[in-house]
Structures are given as structure tokens and as C-alpha cells.
Amino acid sequence: MKTEANQSPNQDPDSEEAYAEDTPLTWAFGDTPKVKIIAALLSEAERDINISDISRLSGVSRSAIYEHLDDLVELGVVTQTREMGGSTLYQINTENEAVEKIAELESIFLNQWCNDEVKITPE
């Protein structure tokens, strides 16, 4: 787990290591907020989730998510699905061609990673 001293400025300091901290996507494309948000939403592709859940899964602060989510919605990668209890819910857009390719890449990287074809070393 990262300590506060070496956490990225966009990571939520109150969270344990988030799912998106160590995925094939973040390993291949870097641990930028947008990559982490996409990785988190891909991990929950079957359901829509709120900003707090995206933050928890991605390890990105809520304020950083708000900074980047509109771009991902505009690109069609993420969709706003509904309002529930005053919160907007979001979901990865599995009908978007780019998302299909990203998921395919994640799968390829994961297979390589699991088969030790690629050696991934934590920072």
C-alpha cells in the first residue's frame, strides 16, 4: 500500500490501496486519474456506481473525479445512467468502440501478466 508521503495528489488518502492501483491498464498506460477511473468502471461494467464508489475503486479523490469525468462522458466512454438518492450514477459505456478495445487490451495484458510473459514490478 502506498503511504501518504508517496501517494499521488489525486489519490484519496483515506482509502486502502484501490483496485485501480495495480491493474494491467494502469501498468501499461500510467496511473493517471482518467486511466484509473476507466479501470475502476471496467471492473464494475455490469452495474452503475456513484462518485464515492468510483473514488474508492480508483484511488482517485472525489474532486479529481469531478475534474475528469465530464471529459470521459463527452468522449462517450462513460455514461450517466440515473439519479439515486441525490447522486448521479455512472457506468462504463460497453457499446462504445473505444471501450471495447480498451477492455480487449486489458484482457490481453492480463493474460500476458498471468502467464508471466510480461514481468510487472511494483514501483
Side-chain angles (χ1 to χ4, degrees):
M1 181 170 86
K2 292 184 179 182
T3 63
E4 268 190 44
N6 65 358
Q7 273 180 326
S8 85
N10 292 318
Q11 185 176 345
D12 183 355
D14 297 326
S15 69
E16 293 292 321
E17 186 169 334
Y19 167 80
E21 289 296 317
D22 192 25
T23 68
L25 290 180
T26 54
W27 174 80
F29 299 115
D31 63 352
T32 65
K34 284 181 181 157
V35 173
K36 289 181 175 183
I37 292 167
I38 290 169
L41 288 169
L42 275 173
S43 76
E44 298 292 325
E46 298 299 317
R47 66 186 191 107
D48 52 358
I49 58 178
N50 64 25
I51 296 291
S52 294
D53 288 335
I54 297 170
S55 177
R56 179 180 50 78
L57 289 167
S58 66
V60 175
S61 70
R62 290 171 50 94
S63 62
I65 290 170
Y66 283 112
E67 288 176 33
H68 298 284
L69 202 54
D70 286 343
D71 293 342
L72 295 172
V73 169
E74 187 175 321
L75 286 169
V77 172
V78 174
T79 58
Q80 294 180 354
T81 57
R82 60 191 167 125
E83 294 282 325
M84 191 167 97
S87 294
T88 304
L89 300 181
Y90 298 88
Q91 189 170 20
I92 196 80
N93 183 1
T94 56
E95 295 178 10
N96 180 288
E97 185 178 359
V99 171
E100 290 175 14
K101 299 296 183 190
I102 292 167
E104 185 178 327
L105 272 174
E106 182 181 44
S107 178
I108 290 168
F109 290 147
L110 186 58
N111 285 334
Q112 290 175 340
W113 190 352
C114 290
N115 292 326
D116 289 329
E117 294 174 25
V118 174
K119 301 293 182 202
I120 298 176
T121 55
E123 294 180 25

